[in-house]
Amino acid sequence: MHGAPRLTFPCASEYLWHAREKAYQDHRRKVQSAQPLVDTRTPLTFHHLHLKLKRLKLEEERLSVIERDNRLLLEKVASVMRTRGQTDSKNNSKHRSRK
């Protein structure tokens, strides 16, 4: 270390030079022992922002509609299976002619 620069005036006080030298050495010591100040930790997570309640509600409603449709379809398939899939193809309407 070179120390603090000397004053060019010979009339400068030796005490002043020592004070500046001490301040400079303190400064150099602080610079050498300085730690980085950048915070590299992950940011805080707020669960109320990650938990999308509206999306969960819409998903629940969608699943309930699917469950209802599946239940209705199952009932129809069960009904067809019970009645052996017989279809009524008779046409009971009567043809009317226009006069």
Side-chain angles (χ1 to χ4, degrees):
M1 297 212 176
H2 300 301
R6 290 252 183 198
L7 297 175
T8 57
F9 301 108
C11 62
S13 167
E14 189 71 21
Y15 173 77
L16 184 59
W17 180 81
H18 283 294
R20 286 186 180 159
E21 180 68 24
K22 182 178 182 307
Y24 181 73
Q25 292 302 325
D26 287 344
H27 166 71
R28 294 301 303 161
R29 188 182 75 252
K30 288 178 183 177
V31 168
Q32 290 296 325
S33 66
Q35 297 294 319
L37 294 178
V38 177
D39 183 15
T40 58
R41 294 178 292 167
T42 58
L44 296 176
T45 56
F46 300 107
H47 295 291
H48 69 282
L49 296 177
H50 287 285
L51 183 64
K52 309 278 189 207
L53 296 177
K54 180 69 173 182
R55 184 179 294 166
L56 289 175
K57 180 183 175 190
L58 291 174
E59 181 71 17
E60 185 179 327
E61 289 174 0
R62 187 180 73 85
L63 289 176
S64 68
V65 167
I66 291 172
E67 288 292 327
R68 181 180 53 98
D69 291 344
N70 284 346
R71 187 174 29 81
L72 291 175
L73 186 60
L74 181 65
E75 288 175 7
K76 289 179 183 178
V77 169
S79 172
V80 167
M81 293 299 288
R82 263 188 270 117
T83 61
R84 302 215 174 236
Q86 297 171 355
T87 57
D88 184 16
S89 61
K90 295 180 183 177
N91 188 358
N92 295 332
S93 62
K94 294 184 181 179
H95 180 62
R96 296 183 188 176
S97 62
R98 289 185 174 199
K99 289 188 182 181

